[in-house]
């Protein structure tokens, strides 16, 4: 055989083996499911809540639900007014509105996410700032969340993307949230950058920062962070942090008391459970074709959890037309108290998957066909 042809043939085989091996490696870190022995029935219904002349029938920013006594209140950010519109979800009525200032001593520059410690202590993540507001929108305190030349750490900042919630401790002294190091922002990430600890504790009194032993997943690290999206989802529930990444199905449970992490398999039966490596498929559109996993949340009043996700789809529909956001299906998985899968269902296509929230009456989604500007229409999925 011609030596040149032999070399070329061997080279092709080597490349093929490398590609196949890399696929095998990525699949090994995605855990298999454990299924619960429990069974549930999920009922779908429609809920209506009146809004005033300044309210919205769909709020695009992730709402915050605060439980006070027997009632659940939704704090929904109104971009047009730069306000928090507050609804009593239990009584199905508008409660009141907190107008925020765009300038001056009470300026709130942006609202990316919020945490309601109590009605008179509302924390808001803005652009490079953490604000503490009272019930009237007065800024009681403001903290810089951008940091440079940190000891034992690279430069970075606290961030709240992809449902990466944050938490304030009971004394109001410590902020816990996602810290993004500047060296992980680039598309080509180093092994060292992917070993960075990403759960930071910001002492609001001393302005010092420390980190918990939480980092990017094994799936992300072994694939060199070669994905279009590696920012996490964070949910603080009790003494634990439940987190995951949009590009993989695993759920991670970090216990603050033991500082140990448990990995749970949470594969969808309808969707792909890991994203493709960005560099291996140049024309891969993750947002359109890939599965996007959202955060894990508690189902209030019952020993269950749930997680929504956008399902995967091909580039083309069966009729040859391109797929898009309107053809992408959404799903919800219910888990028992040990994060074993109970049930997975497809969300009605008439419901927006983004911005879901829950009370003891079920999981709520904004309805797409709300036309009455005086009435908020919500899809509700309740466990019977």
């Amino acid at each position: 055989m011609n030596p040149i042809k032999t070399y070329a043939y061997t080279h092709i085989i080597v490349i093929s083996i490398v590609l196949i091996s890399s696929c095998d490696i990525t699949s090994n870190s995605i855990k298999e499911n454990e299924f619960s022995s429990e069974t549930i029935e999920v009922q779908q219904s429609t809920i209506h809540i009146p809004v005033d002349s300044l309210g919205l029938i769909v709020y695009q920013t992730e709402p915050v639900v605060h439980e006070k006594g027997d009632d659940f209140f939704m704090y929904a950010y109104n971009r047009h007014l730069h306000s928090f519109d507050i609804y009593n979800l239990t009584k199905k009525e508008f409660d009141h509105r907190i107008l925020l200032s765009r300038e001056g001593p009470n300026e709130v520059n942006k609202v990316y996410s919020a945490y309601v410690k109590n009605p008179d202590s509302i924390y808001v993540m803005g652009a490079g700032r953490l604000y503490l507001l009272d019930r009237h929108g007065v800024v009681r305190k403001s903290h810089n969340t951008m940091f440079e030349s940190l000891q034992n750490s690279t430069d970075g900042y606290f961030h709240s993307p992809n449902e990466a919630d944050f938490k304030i401790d009971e004394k109001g002294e410590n902020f816990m949230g996602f810290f993004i190091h500047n060296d992980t922002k680039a598309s080509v990430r180093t092994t060292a950058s992917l070993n960075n600890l990403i759960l930071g504790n910001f002492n609001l009194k001393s302005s010092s920062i420390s980190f918990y032993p939480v980092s990017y997943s094994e799936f992300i690290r072994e694939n060199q962070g070669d994905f279009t999206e590696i920012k996490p989802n964070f949910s603080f529930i009790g003494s634990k942090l439940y987190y995951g990444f949009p590009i993989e199905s695993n759920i991670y449970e970090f216990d603050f008391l033991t500082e140990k992490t448990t990995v749970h398999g949470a594969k969808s039966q309808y969707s792909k459970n890991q994203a493709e490596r960005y560099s291996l498929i140049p024309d891969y559109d993750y947002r359109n074709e890939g599965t996007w996993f959202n955060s894990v949340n508690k189902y209030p009043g019952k020993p269950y959890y749930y997680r929504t996700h956008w399902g995967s789809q091909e580039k083309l529909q069966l009729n040859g037309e391109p797929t898009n956001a309107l053809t992408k299906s959404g799903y919800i998985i219910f888990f028992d108290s040990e994060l074993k899968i109970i049930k997975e269902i497809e969300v009605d296509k008439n419901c927006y998957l983004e911005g879901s929230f829950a009370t003891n009456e079920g999981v709520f989604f904004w309805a797409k066909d709300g036309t009455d500007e005086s009435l908020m229409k919500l899809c509700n999925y309740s466990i019977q």
Side-chain angles (χ1 to χ4, degrees):
M1 183 179 285
N2 187 314
I4 295 178
K5 289 184 178 180
T6 302
Y7 172 78
Y9 179 72
T10 305
H11 191 59
I12 291 171
I13 292 176
V14 170
I15 291 175
S16 299
I17 291 173
V18 169
L19 291 177
I20 293 171
S21 298
S22 67
C23 292
D24 289 339
I25 290 172
T26 58
S27 63
N28 288 340
S29 59
I30 304 300
K31 288 200 66 174
E32 295 299 324
N33 296 341
E34 287 190 64
F35 292 95
S36 177
S37 59
E38 296 191 46
T39 59
I40 58 173
E41 292 298 323
V42 180
Q43 179 177 325
Q44 182 184 356
S45 61
T46 301
I47 305 294
H48 292 93
I49 301 177
V51 302
D52 67 359
S53 60
L54 300 176
L56 305 175
I57 59 174
V58 175
Y59 288 83
Q60 296 180 346
T61 302
E62 193 80 18
V64 177
V65 175
H66 175 68
E67 186 176 357
K68 182 183 177 184
D70 295 329
D71 291 351
F72 287 83
F73 292 85
M74 176 179 69
Y75 287 66
Y77 177 61
N78 186 327
R79 293 185 183 180
H80 305 287
L81 294 181
H82 194 44
S83 68
F84 279 114
D85 295 354
I86 302 166
Y87 294 85
N88 186 318
L89 297 174
T90 304
K91 296 179 179 177
K92 310 296 184 296
E93 63 185 20
F94 173 73
D95 194 78
H96 67 287
R97 176 173 289 114
I98 302 175
L99 291 172
L100 307 178
S101 298
R102 298 184 186 274
E103 56 186 11
N106 293 309
E107 176 195 23
V108 176
N109 59 19
K110 294 281 184 182
V111 175
Y112 290 122
S113 60
Y115 173 79
V116 180
K117 191 168 184 292
N118 61 60
D120 206 38
S121 295
I122 304 165
Y123 290 84
V124 174
M125 278 289 285
R129 309 293 303 179
L130 172 69
Y131 301 98
L132 171 58
L133 314 178
D134 67 12
R135 64 178 68 242
H136 304 293
V138 174
V139 177
R140 289 160 50 187
K141 291 181 182 178
S142 176
H143 304 272
N144 177 27
T145 56
M146 311 284 288
F147 302 90
E148 297 180 359
S149 303
L150 296 175
Q151 186 177 5
N152 300 322
S153 172
T154 53
D155 299 347
Y157 56 95
F158 283 99
H159 192 30
S160 189
N162 299 343
E163 301 182 318
D165 291 342
F166 64 89
K167 182 180 179 179
I168 307 294
D169 69 0
E170 286 301 316
K171 294 182 179 180
E173 296 178 353
N174 292 283
F175 164 101
M176 287 171 281
F178 172 51
F179 189 89
I180 183 167
H181 300 259
N182 289 337
D183 59 356
T184 56
K185 290 167 60 178
S187 58
V188 179
R189 303 175 176 106
T190 65
T191 301
S193 71
L194 294 173
N195 286 325
N196 284 327
L197 300 180
I198 60 175
L199 176 57
N201 184 88
F202 177 26
N203 187 297
L204 301 177
K205 298 183 73 174
S206 66
S207 295
S208 62
I209 295 180
S210 57
F211 292 90
Y212 292 97
V214 172
S215 59
Y216 293 100
S217 69
E218 179 184 353
F219 174 70
I220 290 174
R221 292 197 306 270
E222 67 189 8
N223 286 285
Q224 292 80 53
D226 187 15
F227 303 102
T228 54
E229 180 59 70
I230 64 168
K231 300 185 187 76
N233 305 308
F234 278 2
S235 295
F236 295 88
I237 304 172
S239 63
K240 296 179 179 180
L241 167 72
Y242 295 87
Y243 68 103
F245 301 87
I247 57 171
E248 59 167 290
S249 57
N250 285 350
I251 293 173
Y252 301 87
E253 176 186 342
F254 176 76
D255 190 322
F256 284 99
L257 301 179
T258 63
E259 295 201 344
K260 301 294 184 183
T261 298
T262 304
V263 186
H264 301 273
K267 287 185 173 182
S268 167
Q269 62 179 317
Y270 302 113
S271 315
K272 293 181 180 178
N273 290 291
Q274 61 189 62
E276 304 290 349
R277 288 187 60 161
Y278 179 74
S279 64
L280 297 182
I281 307 178
D283 64 343
Y284 175 60
D285 183 351
Y286 168 62
R287 286 187 175 272
N288 182 60
E289 298 168 61
T291 306
W292 185 288
F293 292 100
N294 294 316
S295 62
V296 175
N297 295 283
K298 187 76 172 61
Y299 188 107
K302 294 183 184 293
Y304 303 128
Y305 296 84
Y306 72 93
R307 182 184 68 182
T308 64
H309 71 267
W310 281 112
S312 53
Q313 62 183 3
E314 300 299 324
K315 285 184 180 295
L316 299 177
Q317 302 179 57
L318 294 177
N319 62 8
E321 293 292 318
T323 53
N324 53 40
L326 297 177
T327 60
K328 204 170 178 66
S329 298
Y331 301 89
I332 181 169
I333 300 178
F334 293 97
F335 304 87
D336 66 14
S337 60
E338 298 178 332
L339 286 182
K340 295 179 180 179
I341 292 178
I342 304 175
K343 192 169 195 168
E344 179 177 8
I345 60 174
E346 182 174 357
V347 176
D348 191 291
K349 293 187 183 300
N350 188 47
C351 311
Y352 288 110
L353 197 74
E354 298 95 338
S356 64
F357 54 91
T359 72
N360 57 359
E361 295 182 82
V363 183
F364 294 85
F365 301 86
W366 308 104
K368 294 180 181 178
D369 62 347
T371 55
D372 186 344
E373 294 185 358
S374 67
L375 207 60
M376 182 191 300
K377 184 176 181 181
L378 297 165
C379 309
N380 175 258
Y381 287 82
S382 60
I383 296 177
Q384 303 303 302

